[in-house]
Short mmCIF file of all heavy atoms in Angstrom, two decimals:
data_model
loop_
_atom_site.label_atom_id
_atom_site.label_comp_id
_atom_site.label_asym_id
_atom_site.label_seq_id
_atom_site.Cartn_x
_atom_site.Cartn_y
_atom_site.Cartn_z
N ILE A 39 -30.77 68.71 -20.66
CA ILE A 39 -31.66 68.82 -19.50
C ILE A 39 -32.96 68.03 -19.74
O ILE A 39 -33.35 67.20 -18.92
CB ILE A 39 -32.00 70.30 -19.19
CG1 ILE A 39 -30.74 71.04 -18.73
CG2 ILE A 39 -33.08 70.40 -18.12
CD1 ILE A 39 -30.90 72.54 -18.62
N ASN A 40 -33.62 68.31 -20.87
CA ASN A 40 -34.96 67.74 -21.07
C ASN A 40 -34.92 66.26 -21.47
O ASN A 40 -35.62 65.44 -20.87
CB ASN A 40 -35.74 68.54 -22.12
CG ASN A 40 -36.08 69.93 -21.60
OD1 ASN A 40 -36.15 70.16 -20.40
ND2 ASN A 40 -36.29 70.87 -22.50
N LYS A 41 -34.09 65.94 -22.49
CA LYS A 41 -34.11 64.55 -22.99
C LYS A 41 -33.19 63.63 -22.19
O LYS A 41 -33.36 62.42 -22.20
CB LYS A 41 -33.68 64.53 -24.47
CG LYS A 41 -34.64 65.28 -25.37
CD LYS A 41 -34.22 65.17 -26.83
CE LYS A 41 -35.12 66.00 -27.72
NZ LYS A 41 -34.52 66.25 -29.04
N GLY A 42 -32.20 64.22 -21.51
CA GLY A 42 -31.28 63.41 -20.70
C GLY A 42 -31.70 63.38 -19.24
O GLY A 42 -32.32 62.43 -18.77
N LEU A 43 -31.40 64.48 -18.53
CA LEU A 43 -31.56 64.52 -17.07
C LEU A 43 -33.03 64.34 -16.63
O LEU A 43 -33.35 63.43 -15.86
CB LEU A 43 -31.02 65.84 -16.52
CG LEU A 43 -29.55 66.16 -16.84
CD1 LEU A 43 -29.22 67.59 -16.41
CD2 LEU A 43 -28.64 65.18 -16.12
N SER A 44 -33.91 65.23 -17.11
CA SER A 44 -35.29 65.22 -16.62
C SER A 44 -36.02 63.94 -17.05
O SER A 44 -36.76 63.35 -16.25
CB SER A 44 -36.06 66.44 -17.12
OG SER A 44 -35.47 67.61 -16.65
N ALA A 45 -35.80 63.52 -18.30
CA ALA A 45 -36.49 62.31 -18.78
C ALA A 45 -36.08 61.10 -17.94
O ALA A 45 -36.91 60.25 -17.61
CB ALA A 45 -36.15 62.08 -20.25
N ALA A 46 -34.81 61.04 -17.56
CA ALA A 46 -34.35 59.91 -16.75
C ALA A 46 -35.00 59.94 -15.37
O ALA A 46 -35.35 58.89 -14.82
CB ALA A 46 -32.83 59.94 -16.61
N MET A 47 -35.19 61.16 -14.83
CA MET A 47 -35.83 61.27 -13.50
C MET A 47 -37.26 60.74 -13.54
O MET A 47 -37.75 60.19 -12.57
CB MET A 47 -35.83 62.73 -13.03
CG MET A 47 -34.48 63.23 -12.58
SD MET A 47 -33.73 62.18 -11.34
CE MET A 47 -34.06 63.09 -9.90
N VAL A 48 -37.92 60.94 -14.68
CA VAL A 48 -39.29 60.41 -14.82
C VAL A 48 -39.26 58.88 -14.74
O VAL A 48 -40.06 58.25 -14.03
CB VAL A 48 -39.95 60.89 -16.14
CG1 VAL A 48 -41.28 60.19 -16.36
CG2 VAL A 48 -40.13 62.40 -16.12
N GLU A 49 -38.27 58.28 -15.44
CA GLU A 49 -38.18 56.81 -15.38
C GLU A 49 -37.84 56.33 -13.96
O GLU A 49 -38.36 55.32 -13.49
CB GLU A 49 -37.13 56.28 -16.38
CG GLU A 49 -37.19 54.77 -16.40
CD GLU A 49 -36.35 54.08 -17.49
OE1 GLU A 49 -35.95 54.75 -18.46
OE2 GLU A 49 -36.11 52.88 -17.33
N VAL A 50 -36.96 57.08 -13.28
CA VAL A 50 -36.62 56.74 -11.90
C VAL A 50 -37.90 56.72 -11.05
O VAL A 50 -38.15 55.78 -10.29
CB VAL A 50 -35.60 57.74 -11.30
CG1 VAL A 50 -35.43 57.54 -9.81
CG2 VAL A 50 -34.26 57.63 -12.01
N GLY A 51 -38.74 57.76 -11.22
CA GLY A 51 -39.99 57.85 -10.47
C GLY A 51 -40.92 56.69 -10.79
O GLY A 51 -41.53 56.09 -9.89
N ASP A 52 -41.00 56.34 -12.09
CA ASP A 52 -41.87 55.22 -12.49
C ASP A 52 -41.39 53.92 -11.86
O ASP A 52 -42.18 53.11 -11.37
CB ASP A 52 -41.89 55.09 -14.02
CG ASP A 52 -42.60 56.27 -14.68
OD1 ASP A 52 -43.27 57.03 -13.96
OD2 ASP A 52 -42.47 56.44 -15.92
N LYS A 53 -40.06 53.74 -11.88
CA LYS A 53 -39.50 52.48 -11.33
C LYS A 53 -39.67 52.43 -9.81
O LYS A 53 -39.84 51.36 -9.24
CB LYS A 53 -38.01 52.36 -11.72
CG LYS A 53 -37.79 52.04 -13.18
CD LYS A 53 -36.46 51.33 -13.37
CE LYS A 53 -36.46 50.37 -14.54
NZ LYS A 53 -36.05 50.95 -15.79
N PHE A 54 -39.63 53.62 -9.18
CA PHE A 54 -39.86 53.68 -7.73
C PHE A 54 -41.31 53.28 -7.44
O PHE A 54 -41.59 52.49 -6.53
CB PHE A 54 -39.57 55.09 -7.21
CG PHE A 54 -39.91 55.31 -5.76
CD1 PHE A 54 -39.10 54.80 -4.76
CD2 PHE A 54 -41.04 56.02 -5.40
CE1 PHE A 54 -39.42 55.00 -3.42
CE2 PHE A 54 -41.36 56.23 -4.06
CZ PHE A 54 -40.54 55.71 -3.08
N ALA A 55 -42.21 53.79 -8.29
CA ALA A 55 -43.64 53.51 -8.08
C ALA A 55 -43.95 52.02 -8.25
O ALA A 55 -44.81 51.48 -7.57
CB ALA A 55 -44.48 54.33 -9.05
N THR A 56 -43.21 51.35 -9.14
CA THR A 56 -43.49 49.91 -9.36
C THR A 56 -42.63 49.01 -8.47
O THR A 56 -42.68 47.79 -8.59
CB THR A 56 -43.24 49.53 -10.84
OG1 THR A 56 -41.89 49.90 -11.18
CG2 THR A 56 -44.20 50.23 -11.78
N GLY A 57 -41.80 49.61 -7.63
CA GLY A 57 -41.00 48.81 -6.70
C GLY A 57 -39.71 48.27 -7.29
O GLY A 57 -39.03 47.45 -6.67
N GLU A 58 -39.36 48.73 -8.51
CA GLU A 58 -38.09 48.27 -9.12
C GLU A 58 -36.90 49.02 -8.55
O GLU A 58 -35.77 48.55 -8.60
CB GLU A 58 -38.13 48.49 -10.63
CG GLU A 58 -38.90 47.45 -11.39
CD GLU A 58 -39.04 47.86 -12.84
OE1 GLU A 58 -38.08 47.70 -13.60
OE2 GLU A 58 -40.13 48.39 -13.20
N LEU A 59 -37.14 50.25 -8.09
CA LEU A 59 -36.09 51.05 -7.45
C LEU A 59 -36.58 51.46 -6.06
O LEU A 59 -37.79 51.57 -5.83
CB LEU A 59 -35.78 52.32 -8.26
CG LEU A 59 -35.03 52.17 -9.58
CD1 LEU A 59 -34.84 53.54 -10.23
CD2 LEU A 59 -33.68 51.51 -9.38
N TYR A 60 -35.63 51.72 -5.17
CA TYR A 60 -35.98 52.08 -3.79
C TYR A 60 -35.51 53.49 -3.47
O TYR A 60 -34.82 54.14 -4.26
CB TYR A 60 -35.36 51.07 -2.82
CG TYR A 60 -35.88 49.68 -3.05
CD1 TYR A 60 -35.15 48.77 -3.81
CD2 TYR A 60 -37.12 49.29 -2.56
CE1 TYR A 60 -35.64 47.49 -4.05
CE2 TYR A 60 -37.63 48.03 -2.79
CZ TYR A 60 -36.88 47.12 -3.54
OH TYR A 60 -37.39 45.88 -3.79
N MET A 61 -35.87 53.95 -2.29
CA MET A 61 -35.54 55.30 -1.84
C MET A 61 -34.04 55.64 -2.04
O MET A 61 -33.71 56.70 -2.57
CB MET A 61 -35.95 55.43 -0.38
CG MET A 61 -35.95 56.83 0.11
SD MET A 61 -37.15 57.80 -0.82
CE MET A 61 -37.31 59.14 0.29
N PRO A 62 -33.10 54.79 -1.61
CA PRO A 62 -31.68 55.14 -1.79
C PRO A 62 -31.32 55.35 -3.27
O PRO A 62 -30.49 56.20 -3.60
CB PRO A 62 -30.92 53.93 -1.23
CG PRO A 62 -31.89 53.25 -0.34
CD PRO A 62 -33.25 53.50 -0.92
N ASP A 63 -31.97 54.56 -4.17
CA ASP A 63 -31.71 54.72 -5.61
C ASP A 63 -32.19 56.09 -6.06
O ASP A 63 -31.52 56.79 -6.84
CB ASP A 63 -32.47 53.66 -6.42
CG ASP A 63 -32.15 52.24 -5.96
OD1 ASP A 63 -30.96 51.92 -5.88
OD2 ASP A 63 -33.09 51.49 -5.67
N MET A 64 -33.39 56.48 -5.58
CA MET A 64 -33.97 57.76 -5.97
C MET A 64 -33.06 58.90 -5.49
O MET A 64 -32.85 59.88 -6.21
CB MET A 64 -35.38 57.88 -5.36
CG MET A 64 -36.30 58.79 -6.09
SD MET A 64 -38.05 58.33 -6.01
CE MET A 64 -38.54 58.74 -4.37
N LEU A 65 -32.50 58.73 -4.29
CA LEU A 65 -31.60 59.76 -3.75
C LEU A 65 -30.33 59.88 -4.58
O LEU A 65 -29.83 60.97 -4.85
CB LEU A 65 -31.24 59.44 -2.30
CG LEU A 65 -32.26 59.89 -1.25
CD1 LEU A 65 -31.94 59.28 0.10
CD2 LEU A 65 -32.28 61.41 -1.14
N LEU A 66 -29.80 58.72 -5.00
CA LEU A 66 -28.57 58.75 -5.83
C LEU A 66 -28.84 59.41 -7.18
O LEU A 66 -28.01 60.19 -7.67
CB LEU A 66 -28.05 57.32 -6.05
CG LEU A 66 -27.28 56.69 -4.89
CD1 LEU A 66 -26.87 55.27 -5.24
CD2 LEU A 66 -26.04 57.52 -4.54
N SER A 67 -30.00 59.12 -7.76
CA SER A 67 -30.35 59.76 -9.04
C SER A 67 -30.49 61.27 -8.86
O SER A 67 -30.05 62.05 -9.71
CB SER A 67 -31.65 59.17 -9.59
OG SER A 67 -31.45 57.84 -9.93
N ALA A 68 -31.12 61.65 -7.74
CA ALA A 68 -31.27 63.09 -7.46
C ALA A 68 -29.90 63.74 -7.32
O ALA A 68 -29.65 64.84 -7.83
CB ALA A 68 -32.08 63.29 -6.18
N LYS A 69 -28.98 63.03 -6.66
CA LYS A 69 -27.62 63.57 -6.48
C LYS A 69 -26.91 63.69 -7.84
O LYS A 69 -26.20 64.67 -8.10
CB LYS A 69 -26.83 62.63 -5.55
CG LYS A 69 -25.50 63.18 -5.12
CD LYS A 69 -24.93 62.39 -3.95
CE LYS A 69 -23.54 62.89 -3.61
NZ LYS A 69 -22.92 62.15 -2.52
N ALA A 70 -27.12 62.69 -8.70
CA ALA A 70 -26.50 62.73 -10.04
C ALA A 70 -27.02 63.93 -10.82
O ALA A 70 -26.25 64.66 -11.46
CB ALA A 70 -26.80 61.44 -10.78
#
Side-chain angles (χ1 to χ4, degrees):
I39 293 171
N40 292 336
K41 296 183 184 163
L43 303 172
S44 298
M47 286 306 259
V48 172
E49 186 172 343
V50 170
D52 292 347
K53 287 206 150 91
F54 174 75
T56 56
E58 280 172 79
L59 288 180
Y60 298 98
M61 193 62 162
D63 306 308
M64 205 149 74
L65 277 169
L66 281 178
S67 293
K69 189 166 176 181

